[in-house]
Amino acid sequence: MLVFIDDSGDAGFKLDKGSSKYFVIACVIFDDNLDAEEAALKIKRLRRSLNWRDDHEFKFNKASKIIRLAFLNEVKSCKFRVRAIVADKSTIRSPELRRSKNKFYNYMIKEVLSKSDGFIKDGRIRLDGHEDRAYKKAATTYFRQQANPRGGVIKDMKFVNSKNNNLVQLADMVAGSISRTTQEGKTDSQEYLKIINRRVEDIWNFK
């Protein structure tokens, strides 16, 4: 089981100075390696059809509406499951989580993974990350201890560069689609998630 994780929004709490009100963690889960390979190939072919370089990254927040729709329509028939958490940061009271972006980020990932016990089994977890080695080591230990108490959720965990990983880019596009549903003032707020809605297993509104 392969699990690709990315986020949308930011982990900051300066809500009156530009920080996003909502923070989303999305897990894209493949139950079969072949399904993952086929999805990655579809994304690669879409990139080629757009005459983009192989290292041109699909990112929801940087993409036009046309690109978002093209991407989601391309992958909607692929065999993957989506589990996600949406946090309204205004409801987070913990001083520790509000003070440290890394701790809040890690806590949200821990929450969505621990809630997936039984739905994610021996997952090979891949997260987007450019942080230093010390952070990665500490975060991996934290996830194993806190999200994997009985040893059944996480088989292994690696931080990867999203620029080189089509399926982390898929997780980014899914997270962005979910995040857009929280922006009710946007005319396209419901448009993107609707395309891949049949792939959604659970979206947990964390409060």
Side-chain angles (χ1 to χ4, degrees):
M1 194 174 287
L2 285 163
V3 184
F4 298 86
I5 299 177
D6 210 346
D7 60 272
S8 183
D10 64 80
F13 279 84
K14 295 180 180 178
L15 302 182
D16 57 342
K17 296 182 179 179
S19 292
S20 63
K21 183 182 179 184
Y22 292 93
F23 184 69
V24 175
I25 293 287
C27 302
V28 172
I29 305 156
F30 291 91
D31 295 306
D32 187 284
N33 284 355
L34 184 58
D35 293 335
E37 290 171 13
E38 289 176 350
L41 186 58
K42 280 198 169 194
I43 294 167
K44 185 174 183 178
R45 284 175 175 157
L46 174 61
R47 184 182 291 106
R48 291 277 178 90
S49 75
L50 295 168
N51 293 317
W52 288 1
R53 300 188 317 272
D54 285 346
D55 64 349
H56 192 127
E57 192 170 0
F58 286 101
K59 288 189 77 70
F60 186 92
N61 286 336
K62 294 183 178 179
S64 66
K65 181 176 181 178
I66 290 173
I67 295 297
R68 292 169 182 167
L69 293 174
F71 184 98
L72 295 167
N73 277 302
E74 188 68 26
V75 301
K76 67 181 182 182
S77 63
C78 296
K79 295 178 181 177
F80 61 89
R81 298 181 284 124
V82 173
R83 298 185 66 80
I85 186 170
V86 179
D88 179 346
K89 291 190 293 183
S90 67
T91 68
I92 304 295
R93 297 287 174 249
S94 166
E96 188 175 14
L97 296 182
R98 295 178 71 92
R99 195 164 46 237
S100 170
K101 291 182 180 181
N102 279 346
K103 285 184 178 179
F104 176 66
Y105 176 76
N106 290 350
Y107 181 81
M108 286 296 115
I109 292 176
K110 183 268 290 185
E111 286 292 289
V112 74
L113 287 176
S114 59
K115 193 173 186 289
S116 298
D117 190 6
F119 297 93
I120 296 176
K121 298 177 181 178
D122 293 327
R124 304 180 72 173
I125 313 294
R126 302 293 179 260
L127 301 103
D128 182 26
H130 308 283
E131 290 81 0
D132 60 59
R133 181 180 291 183
Y135 164 77
K136 292 175 182 176
K137 184 176 180 180
T140 300
T141 299
Y142 171 79
F143 295 136
R144 284 190 175 280
Q145 291 176 347
Q146 300 296 321
N148 198 40
R150 294 188 296 277
V153 178
I154 300 171
K155 182 175 183 180
D156 65 58
M157 178 172 284
K158 292 180 181 178
F159 289 85
V160 299
N161 188 340
S162 62
K163 202 173 186 69
N164 306 320
N165 193 301
N166 287 320
L167 299 179
V168 171
Q169 292 176 39
L170 171 58
D172 174 276
M173 296 293 282
V174 170
S177 298
I178 294 169
S179 182
R180 185 52 64 102
T181 66
T182 68
Q183 301 168 353
E184 296 177 356
K186 299 279 189 180
T187 58
D188 60 352
S189 64
Q190 304 300 316
E191 203 164 339
Y192 306 113
L193 188 59
K194 186 177 180 181
I195 296 172
I196 54 170
N197 200 49
R198 61 185 294 222
R199 300 294 162 205
V200 175
E201 189 169 80
D202 183 57
I203 297 177
W204 176 26
N205 290 302
F206 179 86
K207 295 180 180 179

